[in-house]
Amino acid sequence: MTVNAGALSAGQKQNQSKDKPITEDYMNDIKMQAITLTKRDRNYSNLKGLDSSLKHSLRLEQNEYDEFEYNPNPPHPNIAIVDGVEQVLTRELAEQLLANFNDQLQTKMVETEASDEIATEKEKLRKLRSKLNKFINATEETEVKEYVVSVMEGEKPLVVEDYAALLNHHKISRVSQRIDLLENYTTKKKEIEQTAPSRAVSRTVNRIKEMILVIPEPNKVAISKEKTDLLQRSLHQFYQKHFPDNKILFSFSHLDESTNHVHAFLDLQNTKTGKYDFSAQEFDFAVPEFNT
């Protein structure tokens, strides 16, 4: 999303956000202190829940459930970073960002959201896939697992005679039902691929992720732009490194509350594939980390 500089107030300062890596030299320049961080994520499939949170981040509206205290004399104005450009978050800018974002997201949803008919067929496919995954997880035979997965992923066609022989060889029960399930899945998948636009997205698919990175109050770290800048760099560098095909639309530093914290909003549509596959990307990232 691009902000038109001409629409900003005259006193609004724009600085190119410094994508400065957190190096050893940089850390040596500041006072070292061990601190804890808290990160919270919220996923949104539509504007209903997102609108309230976004208005809070933009300082346009306070949700009645918000539990925090405003600082009437913050050490620095709140900050917005849009397309790498750092700006003071004024009400004029906030209203412009909200209007642009709502227009773009609404347009994208209209253009990509699946029709009721397509959504129904995709739900049928999801249920078939769920049953197959349950069978895969319950089966100890690696050869059977690999065959089913390869057919589901389209790496090989389903040959009923071969699948039946494989199931019988490993003494898998209910052979006819196993065959029918995999056959129904491949048939339904092919039907959807042929009749539904590749862009069709389920209404329940998460489109935007909000990340909130906080230095909790027990750390006794005074609120400052230096600290929120550190949080911003950490968040941006992490997602640019590990999820380069998902764009951070904008992020905000709030210096008028009781803790150093930032909000960032991530587009969950993969810019390379066009798919909403962020959950799969997160899983692929987490598994090696978990196993180390």
Side-chain angles (χ1 to χ4, degrees), residues 127-150:
K127 289 180 178 179
L128 290 169
R129 185 189 301 115
S130 178
K131 290 180 180 179
L132 283 168
N133 285 333
K134 186 176 180 180
F135 169 60
I136 291 169
N137 293 331
T139 301
E140 296 181 357
E141 304 299 338
T142 302
E143 191 178 9
V144 175
K145 289 176 183 281
E146 291 178 348
Y147 183 88
V148 175
V149 170
S150 63

Side-chain angles (χ1 to χ4, degrees), residues 55-67:
K55 285 180 178 177
H56 161 81
S57 292
L58 290 166
R59 288 298 187 254
L60 291 174
E61 186 177 290
Q62 180 175 341
N63 190 301
E64 61 179 313
Y65 301 109
D66 288 341
E67 295 182 0

Side-chain angles (χ1 to χ4, degrees), residues 180-243:
D180 287 345
L181 178 59
L182 188 54
E183 196 167 28
N184 289 340
Y185 175 83
T186 55
T187 300
K188 182 60 65 179
K189 184 180 180 183
K190 185 178 294 184
E191 287 176 0
I192 291 175
E193 289 173 348
Q194 291 175 346
T195 61
S198 59
R199 60 176 176 75
V201 178
S202 169
R203 293 174 183 175
T204 60
V205 166
N206 290 320
R207 292 178 179 265
I208 301 292
K209 176 185 287 291
E210 178 185 10
M211 298 91 70
I212 308 170
L213 191 59
V214 185
I215 301 177
E217 202 164 4
N219 287 282
K220 304 298 182 184
V221 176
I223 295 177
S224 69
K225 187 173 183 298
E226 178 188 31
K227 301 302 187 300
T228 54
D229 283 352
L230 179 63
L231 293 176
Q232 288 280 13
R233 282 195 298 275
S234 300
L235 199 60
H236 280 256
Q237 288 173 13
F238 175 82
Y239 281 92
Q240 287 167 0
K241 177 180 179 180
H242 298 291
F243 305 98

Side-chain angles (χ1 to χ4, degrees), residues 71-98:
N71 179 0
N73 299 300
H76 191 281
N78 292 327
I79 294 295
I81 298 177
V82 186
D83 288 334
V85 178
E86 179 181 303
Q87 306 168 59
V88 171
L89 181 61
T90 64
R91 186 170 187 87
E92 182 181 3
L93 174 61
E95 290 175 346
Q96 181 185 353
L97 287 174
L98 182 64

Side-chain angles (χ1 to χ4, degrees), residues 11-150:
Q12 195 165 43
K13 183 179 180 182
Q14 295 189 58
N15 296 315
Q16 183 67 32
S17 177
K18 298 178 181 178
D19 191 18
K20 182 178 179 181
I22 304 173
T23 62
E24 184 177 352
D25 289 339
Y26 171 77
M27 296 305 292
N28 288 335
D29 289 339
I30 64 174
K31 183 179 179 180
M32 300 296 290
Q33 176 185 351
I35 61 172
T36 59
L37 297 178
T38 299
K39 181 176 181 288
R40 301 194 302 274
D41 288 2
R42 298 169 179 166
N43 294 318
Y44 302 99
S45 60
N46 54 56
L47 285 173
K48 184 177 291 185
L50 176 58
D51 185 67
S52 175
S53 185
L54 190 54
K55 285 180 178 177
H56 161 81
S57 292
L58 290 166
R59 288 298 187 254
L60 291 174
E61 186 177 290
Q62 180 175 341
N63 190 301
E64 61 179 313
Y65 301 109
D66 288 341
E67 295 182 0
F68 60 87
E69 294 182 6
Y70 278 118
N71 179 0
N73 299 300
H76 191 281
N78 292 327
I79 294 295
I81 298 177
V82 186
D83 288 334
V85 178
E86 179 181 303
Q87 306 168 59
V88 171
L89 181 61
T90 64
R91 186 170 187 87
E92 182 181 3
L93 174 61
E95 290 175 346
Q96 181 185 353
L97 287 174
L98 182 64
N100 289 349
F101 174 77
N102 284 348
D103 180 62
Q104 291 182 18
L105 184 59
Q106 288 280 31
T107 299
K108 181 182 286 189
M109 291 177 69
V110 169
E111 291 177 346
T112 62
E113 190 170 85
S115 65
D116 290 342
E117 182 179 355
I118 292 174
T120 299
E121 295 306 304
K122 285 198 167 188
E123 178 61 17
K124 291 178 182 178
L125 183 66
R126 186 196 66 78
K127 289 180 178 179
L128 290 169
R129 185 189 301 115
S130 178
K131 290 180 180 179
L132 283 168
N133 285 333
K134 186 176 180 180
F135 169 60
I136 291 169
N137 293 331
T139 301
E140 296 181 357
E141 304 299 338
T142 302
E143 191 178 9
V144 175
K145 289 176 183 281
E146 291 178 348
Y147 183 88
V148 175
V149 170
S150 63

